[in-house]
Amino acid sequence: MSTTIAPTDEAGIIAAVQAAQAAREPLAIEGQGSKRGMLRPVQAARSLSTRALTGVTLYRPAELIISARAGTPLAEIEAALAEKGQQLIAESPYLNGVFGTSAAPSIGGVVAANLSGPRRVAWGATRDHVMGLRFINGAGEAIRSGGRVLKNVTGLDLCKLLSGSYGTLGVITEVTLKVLPKPETSATLLIETPDLASAVDALSAGLGSPFGVSAAAALPQRDHVVAAMRLEDFAASVTYRMEKLRGVLGSFGTQRVIEDAESRAFWRGVREVEPLRAMPGEAIWRVSVRPSAGPRIAAAADAIGGRAMLDWGGGLVWIAASPSTANHAAISAAAEAEAGAAMLFRAPESLRLAVPILPEETAPLAKISARVKEALDPGGLFNPGHLRAA
């Protein structure tokens, strides 16, 4: 078992990185450790955790901005925002159920993994709302990118580069996020459709309407598929728009509307991939494709005895199936055939070590990635082998 270092301030993070650099010892970078089962296992004798680096450092509700140290639990951020009637925009998931952990996800980990929930289809990914961040590079230097105001154009935009880098380019110590007012109410239209293709057609029609659909998912049932679309805003607005949306989508199937509390619970479940009901021994894949290809990816999952659910209007396909190299190859091939990307999201360590969990990069992209890595972490200290075999 690796030794974990958890400094209580940024200076401690810098000291730990500089010591690792001097000893030429790689580090496993993590926040609260809620997603250790994600990606390839990191081969490092020491772990550097930001879990003790906590606390909101700036919150200006009138300016729709919040800053917090990287180890701050996501729930703490959400609670602080809720007191002022605000929320994180990308509806970031916790995924404790997916990974079977009880550790609280940290805001730094959410940004490092660029994790986004159902609202991403309408409002963008987590990285789109990162206004600024601080991180420590492989030389032990503190670097700030972006700022704490919405109209910020200072310096190179490293925020998007670090968002989704999974701790391989630097140790994030503080993030600044744009937030928005929390909607007064939520309502969801559920439509029974005969198959996934019909469900995605319904979702596309809803998302293409002028009525502000903020989430769109397709959930296969035993003998039909439920197409679900959410509206959020002031109560009067939601009521008016729901009536109009139902009229536009009347030809797609039998309709039912669920209101505020039930609607919010429904989308929390979608956010946490609960409708898939993945068993502990199953692997989970996350496939990104154009929405019209979603049903064909789901068919590929069905062909190997797996199950699927679709989010983001059909553009995000979650698959649960038996963990095997053959199943991984089948899902990866199906995604590649649709110009999409398959990620092995959860699996036993043996499978994560045996297969490429992410699509191989093209030669030009691999060359750029290597140059970025060389610039920010020339010693290869951070999370070696986490994304691809070294």
Side-chain angles (χ1 to χ4, degrees), residues 6-378:
T8 58
D9 56 22
E10 188 177 79
I13 298 288
I14 292 173
V17 170
Q18 290 176 341
Q21 181 194 36
R24 296 185 179 180
E25 293 180 348
L27 293 167
I29 310 301
E30 66 177 22
Q32 297 284 349
S34 64
K35 300 173 186 65
R36 287 179 186 151
M38 190 176 178
L39 303 176
R40 292 173 53 85
V42 177
Q43 304 300 315
R46 291 174 179 261
S47 295
L48 177 57
S49 170
T50 60
R51 67 189 181 206
L53 207 63
T54 61
V56 173
T57 56
L58 175 77
Y59 181 27
R60 293 176 178 165
E63 297 178 23
L64 302 175
I65 285 291
I66 190 168
S67 299
R69 297 184 181 93
T72 308
L74 177 59
E76 185 177 321
I77 302 291
E78 291 177 331
L81 293 173
E83 287 184 5
K84 298 295 184 179
Q86 295 181 338
Q87 65 181 5
L88 293 174
I89 302 170
E91 205 170 0
S92 303
Y94 282 56
L95 300 175
N96 290 115
V98 168
F99 292 107
T101 62
S102 58
S106 66
I107 192 63
V110 165
V111 171
N114 189 35
L115 291 172
S116 309
R119 201 175 288 117
R120 188 232 185 276
V121 73
W123 287 91
T126 291
R127 63 159 46 100
D128 297 316
H129 310 297
V130 178
M131 296 293 102
L133 52 75
R134 288 179 63 88
F135 70 97
I136 310 305
N137 69 5
E141 301 167 329
I143 297 175
R144 184 181 70 181
S145 178
R148 288 178 161 182
V149 294
L150 296 183
K151 294 182 179 179
N152 174 68
V153 293
T154 58
L156 296 173
D157 184 8
L158 297 178
C159 298
K160 287 182 172 60
L161 185 64
L162 270 289
S163 301
S165 65
Y166 298 97
T168 61
L169 298 179
V171 185
I172 297 173
T173 58
E174 184 183 59
V175 298
T176 299
L177 299 167
K178 177 185 177 183
V179 300
L180 283 178
K182 191 172 184 178
E184 179 184 8
T185 193
S186 166
T188 297
L189 175 61
L190 305 177
I191 305 175
E192 287 190 14
T193 62
D195 51 44
L196 274 171
S198 300
V200 170
D201 286 344
L203 299 181
S204 297
L207 287 166
S209 76
F211 305 119
V213 171
S214 69
L219 311 178
Q221 308 297 307
R222 182 170 298 178
D223 58 357
H224 64 278
V225 177
V226 173
M229 282 159 277
R230 179 179 63 189
L231 300 181
E232 301 175 293
D233 211 322
F234 298 107
S237 172
V238 169
T239 298
Y240 171 80
R241 288 185 289 126
M242 181 60 76
E243 180 182 354
K244 295 296 184 181
L245 184 65
R246 295 187 70 175
V248 168
L249 303 179
S251 63
F252 285 97
T254 304
Q255 299 181 355
R256 181 167 71 93
V257 176
I258 55 177
E259 302 294 346
D260 195 34
E262 188 178 0
S263 174
R264 294 180 193 270
F266 177 91
W267 290 103
R268 279 196 299 272
V270 172
R271 181 190 72 182
E272 303 303 325
V273 205
E274 290 175 3
L276 200 60
R277 295 184 180 88
M279 299 296 104
E282 289 183 310
I284 297 176
W285 287 263
R286 184 178 185 268
V287 183
S288 299
V289 290
R290 63 187 184 279
S292 61
R296 291 191 289 276
I297 300 298
D302 185 65
I304 61 172
R307 304 179 319 286
M309 61 172 275
L310 281 60
D311 199 359
W312 301 354
L316 173 63
V317 185
W318 291 101
I319 296 170
S322 175
S324 70
T325 55
N327 284 350
H328 180 70
I331 293 170
S332 298
E336 184 178 359
E338 299 291 349
M343 173 184 181
L344 181 57
F345 202 76
R346 184 194 83 181
E349 185 172 308
S350 57
L351 183 59
R352 289 185 285 133
L353 287 170
V355 301
I357 59 168
L358 295 169
E360 295 295 334
E361 293 180 313
T362 61
L365 183 58
K367 187 176 293 187
I368 293 172
S369 296
R371 290 175 62 187
V372 170
K373 180 70 171 176
E374 177 64 24
L376 294 178
D377 181 25

